[in-house]
């Protein structure tokens, strides 16, 4: 029986949920969100359909909260190997620059790269452990970050969001180059378009949105890549997107 | 029975062969190379193992030779739909700039972007046709170009090769934006490392090469992406690669 | 007599000093650093050679300290127009990722993008004011950020530094697009190499370093660009640099 | 008296003319265009206002025509040192991909990168010669290529133009890395917007165009950069440009 498991951070009703459902087909999954309301329905859905899921409330922008969550995780899977860790947390900030408060700007950074840092520091030791065990096999333990159009382009009124997303990408690149040779696959996905989620239902763009399922499939594909061909950056957009 | 088929241009003993084997699991495949010696063994291998393959000699740098090859293809599959077209042709040129002859520089361009242009003009009408038939389905007809490190970076002594690879990428971007909304998925892969082929066997880099199989799997994944999430650019490198 | 003035943040013995000397040939300059020891010698040098300079101690990572410094600046130049603001603060962090403390990572961000944010919020209203006054003239008020190789590439062991530098670039791009149409020129310079400063004297690389004077000249050039041709990103490296 | 001279390729009524006027303030200049009607007025203007200019008809897409032009140049300046060479030739192609003829696509390449190659092969030996003479001095012999938005982005209907411009940029990068350490400054400018020329007079965009004079000033600045701080890529756009 597989001792592998996966952790998905940032699970609400959209992309995070689909990623959790996808990875739950292969592994027990841990879902991290600030509040149970974000993950409860998805945890139930997975457990009700033959998978194994656990939800843990954690504020990844906070070091202690992160550490506390990972203490619980290690108790849950004392002999488990972390096969995949997905950082999908995000919080859009859009505001004219001179109307941004220092707090709002800081939030743009913290929700993105500080949370990503805390998540990476907690998961990389576990992923490295898994890489040692799997060194002769084909499974590559994987750390995936969700990026956005704003990871590559700072648009007007997006100073806070772009700062956070650029920073996350810079950190992810550094991690990919540092941990790739040790067998951990670090990847970054550019989600270049609107995702079809409960939140964006009313926005129009019919047939011109990314689906959470398609994103989840792509993340699974990244996880399946062998050491002989790792992708760092995967751009994803609807076929009709202007870019 | 499926009426789909695939065309792979640039088939020798390495990546092209593996791509052909991979796509032959799903479709009849047409292999294009300048000379039969390049594709014969792969055609036999596919036909001997339950697949369907045909080899056609064509010089894609030449318009008439390309048109002649596609006339044959249309006779072979009069009612077939082109599901995937892979442009994998390449020819490394590496030389100090002032030692390059105009002919050598021109070859660097012609073997890359002129051949890619001829291939695209011949395949896109067929891919568009397939997209119309498949518009309600999940198959996205796909055109994939093989790029290299030199697609993104012009290194010393690589003026001719980089010019050709940059040009191919620029054309591929334009095609992705023009034909994506019409349902054809155009993608470009950055092969960032040495590929393990008969040619590179003696080069060392053991365990630090891309495998043709892993590249082929990636191309198949690109082909499987639904309209809800197309990737334009996929970088691929061995886990141990410095980049 | 000119009512224009300039502010240079991050003045030590190297690049900041040369930028201050260069801009002091045209404007009174305000030098901002955490401690007087950083700016005193340069302030004296400028005042002793016919220029006008004032040093103000400020911690730009702190909102209140920044606001206090700008209160002093507005008293010094009650009718002055801010022609140029240069953000040159930096602090290299280089460490294996799993040895980084959360504090060290946070410092990497704070010293770069948080300080850059505070500086931008304080200077942009003054630069916009200047742009209105100069709207018919040729002077374009300018905000310049100093970037690095790590602004474009996250190398191993540079997670904290790259995160901060990527973030600063993302914010700078957003500001350029938001404030350019209002007449404020926002630019970002990629310093791609070792700068010849007192700190790097012993590092070797003779004849293969950037000089602070050449960087200062480039920043002045950016400031001189008319609205008809603004540069956002200027890469600078020694002729012998490998890149 | 200075033995330096400059060559400007691609001189019509717009940018090339302004570049020639700018460099003619310092050096005798040679103007290259296919037909005398392109350069005659500018040659007269320079000679009538105290400068020295010579026009030579040359088709840079053709090796022999290029060589013939450079034979004439060497006779004109037997002891001269080539201080600056500017490649400003271009020809916009904009067409749906499937309506492009192979000839039109080829023209897109030839007018851009083949002409750029021939020009580089003819000028680099002269620039290297100048670099040896100037090795202790401050003048850096310079080769500048004019790029466009399409150098970085392949837009729909721009396959031919983008292929040519991407290729030129790839070659220019390779040359910068090969010849920089030998003291020749190779640079590439991204002209990201409409230039205000006789051709574009009727297009609107008032006050939102690049001026040829501002571009010429930027090229002169690139030429003035010392070995301690070379810029490879300079983006230029009007302050009001959306990008």
């Amino acid at each position: 029986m597989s001792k592998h498991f996966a952790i998905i951070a940032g699970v609400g009703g959209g992309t995070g949920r689909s990623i959790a459902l996808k990875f739950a087909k292969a592994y027990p999954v841990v879902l991290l969100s600030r509040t149970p309301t974000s993950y409860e329905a998805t945890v139930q859905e997975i457990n009700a359909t033959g998978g194994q899921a656990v939800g843990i409330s954690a504020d990844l922008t906070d070091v202690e909260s992160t550490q506390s969550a990972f203490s619980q995780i290690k108790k849950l899977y004392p002999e488990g190997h972390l096969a995949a860790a997905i950082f999908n947390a995000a919080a859009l900030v859009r505001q004219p620059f001179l109307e941004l408060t220092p707090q709002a700007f800081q939030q743009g950074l913290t929700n993105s790269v500080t949370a990503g840092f805390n998540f990476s520091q907690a998961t990389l030791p576990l992923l490295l452990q898994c890489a040692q065990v799997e060194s002769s096999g084909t499974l590559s333990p994987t750390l995936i970050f969700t990026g956005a159009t704003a990871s590559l382009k700072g648009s007007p009124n997006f100073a806070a969001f772009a700062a956070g997303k650029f920073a996350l990408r810079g950190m992810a690149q550094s991690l990919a180059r540092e941990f790739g040779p040790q067998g951990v696959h670090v990847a970054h996905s550019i989600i270049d378009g609107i995702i079809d989620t409960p939140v964006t239902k009313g926005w129009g763009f019919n047939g011109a949105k990314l689906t959470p399922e398609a994103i989840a499939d792509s993340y699974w594909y990244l996880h399946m890549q062998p050491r002989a061909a790792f992708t760092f950056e995967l751009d994803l957009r609807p076929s009709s997107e202007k870019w």
Side-chain angles (χ1 to χ4, degrees), chain A:
Chain A
M1 189 195 142
S2 166
K3 290 184 168 174
H4 294 117
F5 70 105
I7 305 176
I8 294 96
V11 177
T15 314
R17 172 182 164 273
S18 289
I19 297 169
L21 292 174
K22 181 75 186 179
F23 281 73
K25 289 182 186 167
Y27 307 126
V29 292
V30 178
L31 281 59
L32 300 178
S33 286
R34 290 192 204 213
T35 58
T37 48
S38 295
Y39 58 71
E40 273 173 352
T42 305
V43 167
Q44 284 170 26
E45 187 178 353
I46 292 171
N47 288 326
T49 54
Q52 292 182 41
V54 173
I56 297 177
S57 299
D59 177 0
L60 296 178
T61 69
D62 182 79
V63 176
E64 286 182 29
S65 173
T66 306
Q67 287 173 343
S68 156
F70 277 81
S71 295
Q72 295 178 59
I73 291 172
K74 284 168 203 168
K75 281 179 199 151
L76 282 168
Y77 304 100
E79 306 197 6
H81 301 131
L82 182 58
I86 316 290
F87 181 77
N88 186 52
L92 184 62
V93 186
R94 182 176 182 167
Q95 208 154 11
F97 183 73
L98 293 175
E99 294 174 18
L100 273 174
T101 62
Q103 290 73 29
F105 184 76
Q106 192 56 44
Q107 281 301 311
L109 284 177
T110 305
N111 287 332
S112 174
V113 73
T114 305
F117 170 81
N118 290 334
F119 185 70
S120 300
Q121 285 225 321
T123 55
L124 275 164
L126 305 177
L127 293 163
L128 284 169
Q129 229 169 51
C130 182
Q132 286 181 320
V133 174
E134 298 292 333
S135 63
S136 60
T138 55
L139 184 145
S140 298
T142 308
L143 172 59
I144 304 178
F145 298 93
T146 298
T149 315
S151 304
L152 296 176
K153 181 174 178 180
S155 294
N157 305 323
F158 279 83
F161 191 62
K165 284 294 190 186
F166 269 63
L168 188 68
R169 182 171 180 257
M171 184 185 76
Q173 272 194 10
S174 179
L175 297 182
R177 291 183 170 101
E178 190 171 343
F179 294 98
Q182 301 177 59
V184 176
H185 182 185
V186 180
H188 180 255
S189 178
I190 303 284
I191 307 295
D192 187 24
I194 308 288
I195 307 174
D196 190 13
T197 66
V199 173
T200 65
K201 274 285 176 267
W203 295 15
F205 297 94
N206 291 324
K209 290 180 190 163
L210 290 136
T211 61
E213 293 76 23
I215 297 173
D217 286 351
S218 295
Y219 284 22
W220 180 256
Y221 161 72
L222 288 172
H223 177 47
M224 286 295 98
Q225 286 186 320
R227 278 186 176 218
F230 278 0
T231 291
F232 171 66
E233 198 149 84
L234 190 79
D235 56 308
L236 293 170
R237 64 181 63 77
S239 61
S240 53
E241 183 75 13
K242 291 217 170 190
W243 55 290

